[in-house]
Amino acid sequence: MLAMCARIAPDDQRKRHSPDSLLRIAVEVFTLRGYDGTSMEHIAAASGITKSSIYHHVRGKEELLRLALRRALDGLSAVLDEPEARSGKAVDRLECVIRRSVEVLAAERPYVTLLLRVRGNTPTEVWALEQRRAFDRAVAGLVERAVADGDLRAGLDPRLATRLVFGLVNSLTEWWQPDRGDPERMADAVVALVFGGLLRR
Amino acid sequence: MLAMCARIAPDDQRKRHSPDSLLRIAVEVFTLRGYDGTSMEHIAAASGITKSSIYHHVRGKEELLRLALRRALDGLSAVLDEPEARSGKAVDRLECVIRRSVEVLAAERPYVTLLLRVRGNTPTEVWALEQRRAFDRAVAGLVERAVADGDLRAGLDPRLATRLVFGLVNSLTEWWQPDRGDPERMADAVVALVFGGLLRR
């Protein structure tokens, strides 16, 4: 549906948007003002096209939210579907998931940032939170298997470890910028800390 | 100045607040709406006292922001001043700082959460960001000394390591609740991950 947004209505010659650029602007406004505090007027003002032009193509702000969150969730879901995340030793699969999650975060940062702020006030937010929980359960399952394999510390709480590791990964949205190092170097640093810790062996 | 807030003006009998409870409400509103999106009307509505009653005691919302951020920053600053953080081996001082930071975050969670959202649009926010940077520099200095002592991995980037470790610590504001385990257990889990990593030794 958003694919139609590139056709700007004749009464609105001020600005043209690709579906991506309109979505990107909506995400910026949601992140800045909070989803609840954002109106379609705010998105229209930020995008430089009229509210009715936006409504011609999307049903409302919740559809924009769903498209944005789907983009982040599709990226994370694809991480779990990668061949290296699906077979092999659990500890290696876990490393692949962490490494690729850092890269998805770097590639889709505004969308992942929005996803991390979702608190569950609308059906779309409830859906997104459930998707995040499913991702966390899959990761916690890998941690559990890697402990059982004897590769990770015995006695580790898989859910707590998953929360701490993804707390670290997600915190990159707060400060990481492309000019602070490429995503691969960030992923190396995160993996080294998470698996090996800071202490010299 | 806020200490006067407990005296409610005669025209405002709806609700009484201690200085702490008024500040706590202001912090909740700032966190929910963003500082820029919050007006004194919003704080008055949330606290159940009139705007003029609040103005009688504080100059405005920036003073409330400063009091709230000072509370978080005083807590973190006290961490660096603890005897165990000031003398001994750098690696032990670092552990103390991380452990106590988790505990401050647990004790002052709303204030630390607000501090983490500050982006530097007002003089108070600029001041708070500078205080945070000074804290980060002190921690990075400890990391650097612990690497030089041979206790932490050679080749570690002290600033990057500090960002990652405090990214992890700060991410606790996103999900940790007192009913999810006591602060000491959380601090143990964070210290174990940060220093030892997940891998079995």
Side-chain angles (χ1 to χ4, degrees), chain B residues 1-2 5 7-9 12 17 22 25-26 39-61 63-64:
Chain B
M1 205 162 182
L2 200 68
C5 278
R7 296 199 215 144
I8 305 295
D12 182 10
H17 281 290
L22 181 61
I25 287 167
S39 67
M40 289 296 266
E41 281 86 355
H42 293 133
I43 297 170
S47 60
I49 63 176
T50 64
K51 206 170 69 162
S52 62
S53 294
I54 301 178
Y55 271 122
H56 190 69
H57 304 297
V58 292
R59 277 183 297 261
K61 67 171 188 165
E63 187 172 340
L64 285 167

Side-chain angles (χ1 to χ4, degrees), chain A residues 119 150-153 157 163-164 167-168 171 174-175 180 185 192-201, chain B residues 119 150-153 157 160 163-164 167-168 171 174-175 180 185 193-201:
Chain A
R119 287 295 173 268
D151 289 317
L152 298 188
R153 274 193 275 130
D157 175 338
R163 277 188 182 274
L164 293 177
L168 166 56
S171 74
E174 297 291 325
W175 65 273
R180 301 230 191 182
R185 180 174 162 258
L193 174 57
V194 164
F195 287 95
L198 295 180
L199 290 180
R200 197 174 68 152
R201 298 247 158 184
Chain B
R119 287 293 173 268
D151 289 317
L152 299 188
R153 273 193 275 131
D157 175 338
L160 177 57
R163 278 188 181 274
L164 293 177
L168 167 55
S171 73
E174 297 290 326
W175 65 274
R180 302 228 191 184
R185 180 174 161 257
L193 174 57
V194 163
F195 287 95
L198 295 180
L199 290 180
R200 197 173 69 152
R201 297 247 157 184

